[in-house]
Amino acid sequence: MAYQTFRQEYLQVPPVTRAYTTACVLTTAAVQLELITPFQLYFNPELIFKHFQIWRLITNYLFFGPVGFNFLFNMIFLYRYCRMLEEGSFRGRTADFVFMFLFGGLLMTLFGLFVNLVFLGQAFTIMLVYVWSRRNPYVRMNFFGLLIFQAPFLPWVLMGFSLLLGNSIIVDLLGIAVGHTYFFLEDVFPNQPGGGRLLRTPSVLKAIFDTPEDDPNYNPLPEERPGGFAWGEGQRLGG
């Protein structure tokens, strides 16, 4: 019975979010079970381009460290904001969402050539958080009951939290930079005088991922309803 309930809930998760978070969890489990090691996964340009270990372009986005607070914190944020994007502004546009993944991953990988980062998954999560926060500017956030602020400040609050924990903020800055690049090209520049849409989802992705009809029984997410999501009414972010 419990298995059926879990399976039903799991299958209700939108496909891109389900695939990415599952891949992250399975990768971490494989490392914990010592089936693979982080040395087989990390981002290394020399091994990628000279020794053709192409899988590292993907696996460095799937490992968030050993199971612990940092892993759980990242998984919660990844799952939550990836799902809210996919069920919100990308609803019915799975191909566009996949294209955002590809664009963000490519840009982040190019930046990764010039910064000393071996795993880019956390930066990718910050990118998702940034795009969601800019598309939901009036949502009120409650961070551990300590801070109340509008959604666009969330990536910067997370960067400050990383700083307090003694972590490098390069990861957060990279995610913010890539997220802002996507947001500007997709949401800002097309609406500027003389602007236009520079990011266009390839037709092959649309043919693979997009469904012809929307679900008539769709119930909008809280942040899509008038007034936004009630973050300031007792719900705490991360706790």
Side-chain angles (χ1 to χ4, degrees), residues 4-59:
Q4 292 295 335
T5 302
F6 172 79
R7 182 175 182 274
Q8 184 178 6
E9 291 295 325
Y10 177 74
L11 292 177
Q12 287 180 353
V13 178
V16 178
T17 302
R18 183 170 67 239
Y20 186 34
T21 53
T22 299
C24 292
V25 171
L26 291 179
T27 300
T28 301
V31 172
Q32 289 292 116
L33 294 172
E34 299 184 351
L35 300 176
I36 55 177
T37 71
F39 296 105
Q40 297 172 288
L41 307 174
Y42 76 99
F43 180 73
N44 185 314
E46 182 176 354
L47 293 177
I48 292 171
F49 299 111
K50 291 186 178 180
H51 298 273
F52 306 106
Q53 297 183 9
I54 306 299
W55 66 83
R56 294 179 184 271
L57 291 171
I58 298 175
T59 56

Tab-separated table of all heavy atoms in Angstrom, residues 4-59:
chain	number	residue	atom	x	y	z
A	4	GLN	N	2.475	1.706	-3.365
A	4	GLN	CA	1.564	2.240	-4.363
A	4	GLN	C	1.365	3.742	-4.184
A	4	GLN	O	1.315	4.499	-5.157
A	4	GLN	CB	0.209	1.510	-4.283
A	4	GLN	CG	0.260	0.050	-4.713
A	4	GLN	CD	0.606	-0.104	-6.190
A	4	GLN	OE1	0.365	0.795	-6.994
A	4	GLN	NE2	1.176	-1.249	-6.538
A	5	THR	N	1.259	4.176	-2.933
A	5	THR	CA	1.099	5.603	-2.653
A	5	THR	C	2.329	6.377	-3.097
A	5	THR	O	2.226	7.429	-3.736
A	5	THR	CB	0.850	5.836	-1.153
A	5	THR	OG1	-0.318	5.112	-0.747
A	5	THR	CG2	0.657	7.317	-0.860
A	6	PHE	N	3.510	5.840	-2.752
A	6	PHE	CA	4.762	6.495	-3.154
A	6	PHE	C	4.888	6.548	-4.668
A	6	PHE	O	5.267	7.576	-5.234
A	6	PHE	CB	5.956	5.744	-2.552
A	6	PHE	CG	7.283	6.236	-3.070
A	6	PHE	CD1	7.839	7.406	-2.562
A	6	PHE	CD2	7.954	5.544	-4.058
A	6	PHE	CE1	9.061	7.872	-3.044
A	6	PHE	CE2	9.172	6.006	-4.548
A	6	PHE	CZ	9.730	7.174	-4.031
A	7	ARG	N	4.542	5.442	-5.322
A	7	ARG	CA	4.640	5.382	-6.775
A	7	ARG	C	3.702	6.396	-7.425
A	7	ARG	O	4.069	7.084	-8.391
A	7	ARG	CB	4.310	3.968	-7.268
A	7	ARG	CG	4.437	3.776	-8.778
A	7	ARG	CD	4.210	2.312	-9.142
A	7	ARG	NE	4.370	2.110	-10.571
A	7	ARG	CZ	3.403	2.291	-11.467
A	7	ARG	NH1	2.190	2.665	-11.049
A	7	ARG	NH2	3.619	2.094	-12.762
A	8	GLN	N	2.508	6.510	-6.880
A	8	GLN	CA	1.539	7.459	-7.426
A	8	GLN	C	2.025	8.891	-7.260
A	8	GLN	O	1.942	9.701	-8.180
A	8	GLN	CB	0.186	7.275	-6.731
A	8	GLN	CG	-0.921	8.161	-7.295
A	8	GLN	CD	-2.258	7.911	-6.618
A	8	GLN	OE1	-2.338	7.155	-5.659
A	8	GLN	NE2	-3.305	8.533	-7.128
A	9	GLU	N	2.541	9.200	-6.067
A	9	GLU	CA	3.065	10.547	-5.824
A	9	GLU	C	4.271	10.829	-6.708
A	9	GLU	O	4.429	11.938	-7.233
A	9	GLU	CB	3.446	10.701	-4.348
A	9	GLU	CG	2.271	10.708	-3.394
A	9	GLU	CD	1.364	11.914	-3.610
A	9	GLU	OE1	1.882	13.000	-3.943
A	9	GLU	OE2	0.139	11.767	-3.462
A	10	TYR	N	5.120	9.839	-6.860
A	10	TYR	CA	6.330	9.997	-7.675
A	10	TYR	C	5.977	10.285	-9.129
A	10	TYR	O	6.585	11.157	-9.769
A	10	TYR	CB	7.175	8.733	-7.563
A	10	TYR	CG	8.429	8.741	-8.411
A	10	TYR	CD1	9.530	9.517	-8.049
A	10	TYR	CD2	8.512	7.969	-9.574
A	10	TYR	CE1	10.682	9.515	-8.825
A	10	TYR	CE2	9.659	7.968	-10.350
A	10	TYR	CZ	10.742	8.740	-9.966
A	10	TYR	OH	11.879	8.749	-10.749
A	11	LEU	N	4.994	9.569	-9.649
A	11	LEU	CA	4.616	9.738	-11.049
A	11	LEU	C	3.876	11.056	-11.288
A	11	LEU	O	3.741	11.488	-12.439
A	11	LEU	CB	3.752	8.565	-11.518
A	11	LEU	CG	4.473	7.212	-11.609
A	11	LEU	CD1	3.504	6.110	-12.003
A	11	LEU	CD2	5.637	7.279	-12.594
A	12	GLN	N	3.399	11.699	-10.229
A	12	GLN	CA	2.739	12.990	-10.372
A	12	GLN	C	3.739	14.138	-10.479
A	12	GLN	O	3.371	15.245	-10.872
A	12	GLN	CB	1.788	13.236	-9.192
A	12	GLN	CG	0.525	12.390	-9.241
A	12	GLN	CD	-0.392	12.648	-8.062
A	12	GLN	OE1	-0.044	13.368	-7.125
A	12	GLN	NE2	-1.578	12.064	-8.096
A	13	VAL	N	4.985	13.874	-10.148
A	13	VAL	CA	6.022	14.892	-10.299
A	13	VAL	C	6.259	15.110	-11.786
A	13	VAL	O	6.366	14.146	-12.547
A	13	VAL	CB	7.331	14.447	-9.612
A	13	VAL	CG1	8.437	15.487	-9.811
A	13	VAL	CG2	7.094	14.189	-8.133
A	14	PRO	N	6.310	16.361	-12.261
A	14	PRO	CA	6.517	16.610	-13.690
A	14	PRO	C	7.810	15.982	-14.192
A	14	PRO	O	8.773	15.833	-13.425
A	14	PRO	CB	6.527	18.142	-13.793
A	14	PRO	CG	6.761	18.632	-12.407
A	14	PRO	CD	6.192	17.615	-11.492
A	15	PRO	N	7.864	15.602	-15.463
A	15	PRO	CA	8.927	14.721	-15.968
A	15	PRO	C	10.351	15.235	-15.835
A	15	PRO	O	11.250	14.470	-15.483
A	15	PRO	CB	8.545	14.514	-17.440
A	15	PRO	CG	7.622	15.639	-17.777
A	15	PRO	CD	6.890	15.949	-16.516
A	16	VAL	N	10.593	16.501	-16.129
A	16	VAL	CA	11.967	17.008	-16.070
A	16	VAL	C	12.455	17.043	-14.627
A	16	VAL	O	13.576	16.608	-14.319
A	16	VAL	CB	12.059	18.407	-16.709
A	16	VAL	CG1	13.480	18.956	-16.598
A	16	VAL	CG2	11.643	18.354	-18.176
A	17	THR	N	11.612	17.539	-13.727
A	17	THR	CA	11.962	17.557	-12.309
A	17	THR	C	12.185	16.140	-11.801
A	17	THR	O	13.143	15.876	-11.057
A	17	THR	CB	10.844	18.230	-11.489
A	17	THR	OG1	10.640	19.559	-11.974
A	17	THR	CG2	11.199	18.273	-10.020
A	18	ARG	N	11.311	15.230	-12.174
A	18	ARG	CA	11.429	13.831	-11.734
A	18	ARG	C	12.731	13.210	-12.232
A	18	ARG	O	13.456	12.548	-11.471
A	18	ARG	CB	10.223	13.031	-12.230
A	18	ARG	CG	10.224	11.575	-11.757
A	18	ARG	CD	8.910	10.895	-12.069
A	18	ARG	NE	8.697	10.722	-13.495
A	18	ARG	CZ	7.675	11.206	-14.179
A	18	ARG	NH1	6.750	11.931	-13.545
A	18	ARG	NH2	7.541	10.978	-15.468
A	19	ALA	N	13.064	13.430	-13.496
A	19	ALA	CA	14.270	12.835	-14.069
A	19	ALA	C	15.530	13.395	-13.421
A	19	ALA	O	16.449	12.635	-13.063
A	19	ALA	CB	14.299	13.076	-15.578
A	20	TYR	N	15.568	14.718	-13.238
A	20	TYR	CA	16.796	15.326	-12.712
A	20	TYR	C	17.021	14.977	-11.241
A	20	TYR	O	18.117	14.569	-10.847
A	20	TYR	CB	16.749	16.844	-12.907
A	20	TYR	CG	18.031	17.551	-12.530
A	20	TYR	CD1	19.269	16.948	-12.734
A	20	TYR	CD2	18.001	18.819	-11.950
A	20	TYR	CE1	20.449	17.595	-12.390
A	20	TYR	CE2	19.183	19.479	-11.602
A	20	TYR	CZ	20.395	18.855	-11.826
A	20	TYR	OH	21.564	19.511	-11.476
A	21	THR	N	15.987	15.121	-10.417
A	21	THR	CA	16.160	14.824	-8.997
A	21	THR	C	16.441	13.333	-8.767
A	21	THR	O	17.243	12.981	-7.911
A	21	THR	CB	14.922	15.254	-8.185
A	21	THR	OG1	13.741	14.685	-8.768
A	21	THR	CG2	14.778	16.759	-8.171
A	22	THR	N	15.804	12.471	-9.555
A	22	THR	CA	16.068	11.036	-9.433
A	22	THR	C	17.510	10.726	-9.789
A	22	THR	O	18.179	9.940	-9.098
A	22	THR	CB	15.126	10.236	-10.339
A	22	THR	OG1	13.767	10.471	-9.955
A	22	THR	CG2	15.419	8.744	-10.249
A	23	ALA	N	18.013	11.334	-10.858
A	23	ALA	CA	19.402	11.122	-11.263
A	23	ALA	C	20.367	11.581	-10.178
A	23	ALA	O	21.382	10.917	-9.896
A	23	ALA	CB	19.686	11.855	-12.571
A	24	CYS	N	20.050	12.702	-9.521
A	24	CYS	CA	20.903	13.205	-8.437
A	24	CYS	C	20.916	12.249	-7.256
A	24	CYS	O	21.974	11.942	-6.683
A	24	CYS	CB	20.434	14.592	-7.990
A	24	CYS	SG	20.668	15.898	-9.218
A	25	VAL	N	19.743	11.759	-6.869
A	25	VAL	CA	19.637	10.844	-5.730
A	25	VAL	C	20.339	9.521	-6.035
A	25	VAL	O	21.085	8.984	-5.194
A	25	VAL	CB	18.165	10.611	-5.358
A	25	VAL	CG1	18.046	9.490	-4.320
A	25	VAL	CG2	17.538	11.894	-4.818
A	26	LEU	N	20.138	8.980	-7.229
A	26	LEU	CA	20.767	7.710	-7.596
A	26	LEU	C	22.282	7.843	-7.680
A	26	LEU	O	23.017	6.927	-7.295
A	26	LEU	CB	20.212	7.213	-8.932
A	26	LEU	CG	18.749	6.749	-8.920
A	26	LEU	CD1	18.324	6.300	-10.318
A	26	LEU	CD2	18.550	5.617	-7.915
A	27	THR	N	22.761	8.976	-8.178
A	27	THR	CA	24.208	9.198	-8.242
A	27	THR	C	24.812	9.240	-6.855
A	27	THR	O	25.852	8.624	-6.587
A	27	THR	CB	24.518	10.509	-8.991
A	27	THR	OG1	24.001	10.431	-10.320
A	27	THR	CG2	26.015	10.764	-9.053
A	28	THR	N	24.143	9.958	-5.944
A	28	THR	CA	24.624	10.038	-4.563
A	28	THR	C	24.588	8.668	-3.899
A	28	THR	O	25.523	8.298	-3.168
A	28	THR	CB	23.770	11.036	-3.759
A	28	THR	OG1	23.854	12.321	-4.373
A	28	THR	CG2	24.249	11.136	-2.324
A	29	ALA	N	23.535	7.904	-4.148
A	29	ALA	CA	23.433	6.555	-3.586
A	29	ALA	C	24.558	5.664	-4.103
A	29	ALA	O	25.142	4.879	-3.339
A	29	ALA	CB	22.074	5.951	-3.919
A	30	ALA	N	24.870	5.777	-5.386
A	30	ALA	CA	25.939	4.969	-5.968
A	30	ALA	C	27.288	5.312	-5.344
A	30	ALA	O	28.127	4.426	-5.114
A	30	ALA	CB	25.991	5.183	-7.479
A	31	VAL	N	27.501	6.602	-5.039
A	31	VAL	CA	28.746	7.003	-4.380
A	31	VAL	C	28.772	6.480	-2.946
A	31	VAL	O	29.806	5.971	-2.480
A	31	VAL	CB	28.908	8.537	-4.411
A	31	VAL	CG1	30.096	8.961	-3.558
A	31	VAL	CG2	29.092	9.029	-5.847
A	32	GLN	N	27.638	6.593	-2.234
A	32	GLN	CA	27.566	6.114	-0.850
A	32	GLN	C	27.824	4.612	-0.768
A	32	GLN	O	28.424	4.125	0.194
A	32	GLN	CB	26.202	6.444	-0.253
A	32	GLN	CG	25.964	7.917	0.021
A	32	GLN	CD	26.830	8.452	1.142
A	32	GLN	OE1	27.673	9.320	0.921
A	32	GLN	NE2	26.654	7.948	2.347
A	33	LEU	N	27.362	3.879	-1.779
A	33	LEU	CA	27.543	2.423	-1.806
A	33	LEU	C	28.895	2.024	-2.397
A	33	LEU	O	29.182	0.828	-2.546
A	33	LEU	CB	26.421	1.773	-2.619
A	33	LEU	CG	25.007	1.897	-2.034
A	33	LEU	CD1	23.965	1.380	-3.015
A	33	LEU	CD2	24.913	1.138	-0.695
A	34	GLU	N	29.693	3.024	-2.749
A	34	GLU	CA	31.033	2.830	-3.295
A	34	GLU	C	31.020	2.058	-4.620
A	34	GLU	O	31.967	1.346	-4.947
A	34	GLU	CB	31.940	2.137	-2.279
A	34	GLU	CG	32.120	2.940	-1.000
A	34	GLU	CD	33.088	2.298	-0.022
A	34	GLU	OE1	33.488	1.140	-0.261
A	34	GLU	OE2	33.441	2.955	0.972
A	35	LEU	N	29.933	2.225	-5.369
A	35	LEU	CA	29.886	1.652	-6.716
A	35	LEU	C	30.674	2.526	-7.683
A	35	LEU	O	31.230	2.032	-8.667
A	35	LEU	CB	28.428	1.532	-7.179
A	35	LEU	CG	27.523	0.655	-6.314
A	35	LEU	CD1	26.086	0.706	-6.841
A	35	LEU	CD2	28.039	-0.783	-6.287
A	36	ILE	N	30.684	3.818	-7.401
A	36	ILE	CA	31.485	4.774	-8.150
A	36	ILE	C	32.107	5.742	-7.147
A	36	ILE	O	31.734	5.746	-5.978
A	36	ILE	CB	30.655	5.562	-9.190
A	36	ILE	CG1	29.455	6.265	-8.508
A	36	ILE	CG2	30.176	4.663	-10.314
A	36	ILE	CD1	28.625	7.126	-9.444
A	37	THR	N	33.041	6.558	-7.610
A	37	THR	CA	33.659	7.546	-6.744
A	37	THR	C	33.482	8.934	-7.357
A	37	THR	O	33.298	9.060	-8.578
A	37	THR	CB	35.168	7.286	-6.560
A	37	THR	OG1	35.856	7.593	-7.799
A	37	THR	CG2	35.423	5.827	-6.190
A	38	PRO	N	33.537	9.996	-6.537
A	38	PRO	CA	33.432	11.354	-7.079
A	38	PRO	C	34.500	11.672	-8.114
A	38	PRO	O	34.307	12.537	-8.973
A	38	PRO	CB	33.591	12.234	-5.826
A	38	PRO	CG	33.129	11.374	-4.698
A	38	PRO	CD	33.570	9.994	-5.066
A	39	PHE	N	35.637	10.969	-8.050
A	39	PHE	CA	36.709	11.208	-9.009
A	39	PHE	C	36.316	10.796	-10.423
A	39	PHE	O	36.933	11.230	-11.396
A	39	PHE	CB	37.978	10.458	-8.580
A	39	PHE	CG	38.542	10.941	-7.274
A	39	PHE	CD1	38.381	10.192	-6.126
A	39	PHE	CD2	39.212	12.150	-7.190
A	39	PHE	CE1	38.878	10.633	-4.913
A	39	PHE	CE2	39.723	12.604	-5.980
A	39	PHE	CZ	39.556	11.848	-4.836
A	40	GLN	N	35.295	9.968	-10.534
A	40	GLN	CA	34.790	9.567	-11.859
A	40	GLN	C	33.726	10.521	-12.375
A	40	GLN	O	33.276	10.366	-13.509
A	40	GLN	CB	34.215	8.150	-11.782
A	40	GLN	CG	35.223	7.080	-11.424
A	40	GLN	CD	34.549	5.737	-11.167
A	40	GLN	OE1	33.885	5.527	-10.150
A	40	GLN	NE2	34.708	4.817	-12.110
A	41	LEU	N	33.323	11.486	-11.552
A	41	LEU	CA	32.178	12.332	-11.886
A	41	LEU	C	32.530	13.801	-12.094
A	41	LEU	O	31.809	14.499	-12.815
A	41	LEU	CB	31.128	12.253	-10.765
A	41	LEU	CG	30.659	10.852	-10.332
A	41	LEU	CD1	29.743	10.981	-9.124
A	41	LEU	CD2	29.953	10.150	-11.465
A	42	TYR	N	33.597	14.271	-11.479
A	42	TYR	CA	33.827	15.709	-11.391
A	42	TYR	C	34.196	16.333	-12.736
A	42	TYR	O	34.626	15.662	-13.668
A	42	TYR	CB	34.875	16.027	-10.335
A	42	TYR	CG	36.311	15.734	-10.732
A	42	TYR	CD1	37.139	16.758	-11.175
A	42	TYR	CD2	36.847	14.454	-10.615
A	42	TYR	CE1	38.453	16.510	-11.521
A	42	TYR	CE2	38.151	14.191	-10.951
A	42	TYR	CZ	38.961	15.224	-11.412
A	42	TYR	OH	40.266	14.973	-11.765
A	43	PHE	N	34.030	17.655	-12.799
A	43	PHE	CA	34.293	18.415	-14.020
A	43	PHE	C	35.797	18.635	-14.180
A	43	PHE	O	36.440	19.261	-13.334
A	43	PHE	CB	33.572	19.762	-13.955
A	43	PHE	CG	33.769	20.626	-15.164
A	43	PHE	CD1	33.135	20.317	-16.363
A	43	PHE	CD2	34.582	21.749	-15.107
A	43	PHE	CE1	33.305	21.116	-17.482
A	43	PHE	CE2	34.755	22.559	-16.221
A	43	PHE	CZ	34.123	22.230	-17.413
A	44	ASN	N	36.354	18.099	-15.258
A	44	ASN	CA	37.780	18.230	-15.542
A	44	ASN	C	37.945	18.413	-17.049
A	44	ASN	O	37.829	17.458	-17.810
A	44	ASN	CB	38.534	16.988	-15.063
A	44	ASN	CG	40.035	17.124	-15.216
A	44	ASN	OD1	40.535	17.551	-16.258
A	44	ASN	ND2	40.771	16.745	-14.178
A	45	PRO	N	38.197	19.649	-17.501
A	45	PRO	CA	38.286	19.918	-18.946
A	45	PRO	C	39.305	19.047	-19.668
A	45	PRO	O	39.069	18.614	-20.808
A	45	PRO	CB	38.680	21.400	-18.994
A	45	PRO	CG	38.159	21.970	-17.715
A	45	PRO	CD	38.330	20.883	-16.708
A	46	GLU	N	40.426	18.785	-19.011
A	46	GLU	CA	41.455	17.977	-19.674
A	46	GLU	C	40.968	16.553	-19.921
A	46	GLU	O	41.153	15.997	-21.006
A	46	GLU	CB	42.731	17.955	-18.825
A	46	GLU	CG	43.861	17.167	-19.483
A	46	GLU	CD	45.148	17.221	-18.689
A	46	GLU	OE1	45.212	17.958	-17.688
A	46	GLU	OE2	46.097	16.516	-19.084
A	47	LEU	N	40.332	15.959	-18.909
A	47	LEU	CA	39.817	14.593	-19.079
A	47	LEU	C	38.660	14.554	-20.077
A	47	LEU	O	38.479	13.564	-20.790
A	47	LEU	CB	39.354	14.040	-17.726
A	47	LEU	CG	40.451	13.788	-16.692
A	47	LEU	CD1	39.838	13.318	-15.378
A	47	LEU	CD2	41.459	12.769	-17.211
A	48	ILE	N	37.899	15.644	-20.148
A	48	ILE	CA	36.754	15.682	-21.062
A	48	ILE	C	37.205	15.820	-22.510
A	48	ILE	O	36.791	15.054	-23.390
A	48	ILE	CB	35.810	16.842	-20.688
A	48	ILE	CG1	35.133	16.567	-19.348
A	48	ILE	CG2	34.740	17.038	-21.776
A	48	ILE	CD1	34.355	17.738	-18.790
A	49	PHE	N	38.081	16.785	-22.758
A	49	PHE	CA	38.419	17.120	-24.134
A	49	PHE	C	39.647	16.385	-24.675
A	49	PHE	O	39.781	16.227	-25.890
A	49	PHE	CB	38.633	18.640	-24.252
A	49	PHE	CG	37.418	19.437	-23.901
A	49	PHE	CD1	37.378	20.217	-22.749
A	49	PHE	CD2	36.280	19.388	-24.700
A	49	PHE	CE1	36.253	20.944	-22.417
A	49	PHE	CE2	35.149	20.112	-24.376
A	49	PHE	CZ	35.133	20.895	-23.234
A	50	LYS	N	40.524	15.911	-23.786
A	50	LYS	CA	41.709	15.191	-24.253
A	50	LYS	C	41.566	13.683	-24.130
A	50	LYS	O	42.137	12.934	-24.919
A	50	LYS	CB	42.948	15.658	-23.480
A	50	LYS	CG	43.366	17.084	-23.811
A	50	LYS	CD	44.674	17.443	-23.122
A	50	LYS	CE	45.115	18.857	-23.493
A	50	LYS	NZ	46.405	19.226	-22.832
A	51	HIS	N	40.786	13.252	-23.141
A	51	HIS	CA	40.605	11.814	-22.933
A	51	HIS	C	39.168	11.377	-23.227
A	51	HIS	O	38.807	10.228	-22.978
A	51	HIS	CB	40.991	11.434	-21.504
A	51	HIS	CG	42.434	11.693	-21.178
A	51	HIS	ND1	43.433	10.778	-21.439
A	51	HIS	CD2	43.047	12.784	-20.646
A	51	HIS	CE1	44.607	11.276	-21.055
A	51	HIS	NE2	44.393	12.506	-20.573
A	52	PHE	N	38.365	12.297	-23.718
A	52	PHE	CA	37.013	12.023	-24.198
A	52	PHE	C	36.099	11.385	-23.142
A	52	PHE	O	35.254	10.557	-23.461
A	52	PHE	CB	37.060	11.136	-25.448
A	52	PHE	CG	37.929	11.697	-26.538
A	52	PHE	CD1	39.179	11.144	-26.811
A	52	PHE	CD2	37.519	12.796	-27.281
A	52	PHE	CE1	39.987	11.668	-27.799
A	52	PHE	CE2	38.324	13.341	-28.268
A	52	PHE	CZ	39.561	12.783	-28.537
A	53	GLN	N	36.262	11.803	-21.896
A	53	GLN	CA	35.358	11.351	-20.835
A	53	GLN	C	34.154	12.306	-20.792
A	53	GLN	O	33.954	13.070	-19.856
A	53	GLN	CB	36.107	11.296	-19.502
A	53	GLN	CG	37.238	10.290	-19.504
A	53	GLN	CD	37.936	10.167	-18.159
A	53	GLN	OE1	37.486	10.712	-17.144
A	53	GLN	NE2	39.039	9.427	-18.129
A	54	ILE	N	33.352	12.207	-21.855
A	54	ILE	CA	32.271	13.156	-22.104
A	54	ILE	C	31.212	13.124	-21.005
A	54	ILE	O	30.538	14.134	-20.751
A	54	ILE	CB	31.620	12.871	-23.477
A	54	ILE	CG1	32.683	12.854	-24.579
A	54	ILE	CG2	30.549	13.902	-23.796
A	54	ILE	CD1	33.416	14.177	-24.732
A	55	TRP	N	31.069	11.983	-20.338
A	55	TRP	CA	30.021	11.867	-19.316
A	55	TRP	C	30.189	12.890	-18.192
A	55	TRP	O	29.225	13.245	-17.522
A	55	TRP	CB	30.008	10.461	-18.739
A	55	TRP	CG	31.239	10.090	-17.958
A	55	TRP	CD1	31.509	10.380	-16.647
A	55	TRP	CD2	32.385	9.393	-18.455
A	55	TRP	NE1	32.732	9.893	-16.282
A	55	TRP	CE2	33.294	9.274	-17.363
A	55	TRP	CE3	32.720	8.825	-19.679
A	55	TRP	CZ2	34.529	8.631	-17.492
A	55	TRP	CZ3	33.944	8.183	-19.811
A	55	TRP	CH2	34.832	8.096	-18.733
A	56	ARG	N	31.407	13.387	-18.008
A	56	ARG	CA	31.655	14.354	-16.946
A	56	ARG	C	30.900	15.664	-17.168
A	56	ARG	O	30.642	16.408	-16.224
A	56	ARG	CB	33.151	14.628	-16.808
A	56	ARG	CG	33.955	13.436	-16.327
A	56	ARG	CD	35.441	13.761	-16.244
A	56	ARG	NE	36.215	12.599	-15.878
A	56	ARG	CZ	36.489	12.229	-14.619
A	56	ARG	NH1	36.033	12.979	-13.618
A	56	ARG	NH2	37.200	11.156	-14.366
A	57	LEU	N	30.543	15.959	-18.419
A	57	LEU	CA	29.754	17.152	-18.703
A	57	LEU	C	28.383	17.088	-18.045
A	57	LEU	O	27.765	18.117	-17.778
A	57	LEU	CB	29.596	17.329	-20.215
A	57	LEU	CG	30.856	17.709	-21.004
A	57	LEU	CD1	30.582	17.638	-22.499
A	57	LEU	CD2	31.334	19.108	-20.607
A	58	ILE	N	27.909	15.878	-17.784
A	58	ILE	CA	26.599	15.675	-17.155
A	58	ILE	C	26.735	15.313	-15.690
A	58	ILE	O	26.045	15.887	-14.827
A	58	ILE	CB	25.812	14.577	-17.901
A	58	ILE	CG1	25.560	14.994	-19.352
A	58	ILE	CG2	24.488	14.281	-17.188
A	58	ILE	CD1	24.900	13.939	-20.195
A	59	THR	N	27.648	14.389	-15.384
A	59	THR	CA	27.712	13.865	-14.009
A	59	THR	C	28.128	14.918	-12.990
A	59	THR	O	27.787	14.799	-11.805
A	59	THR	CB	28.679	12.676	-13.926
A	59	THR	OG1	29.982	13.078	-14.410
A	59	THR	CG2	28.173	11.507	-14.764
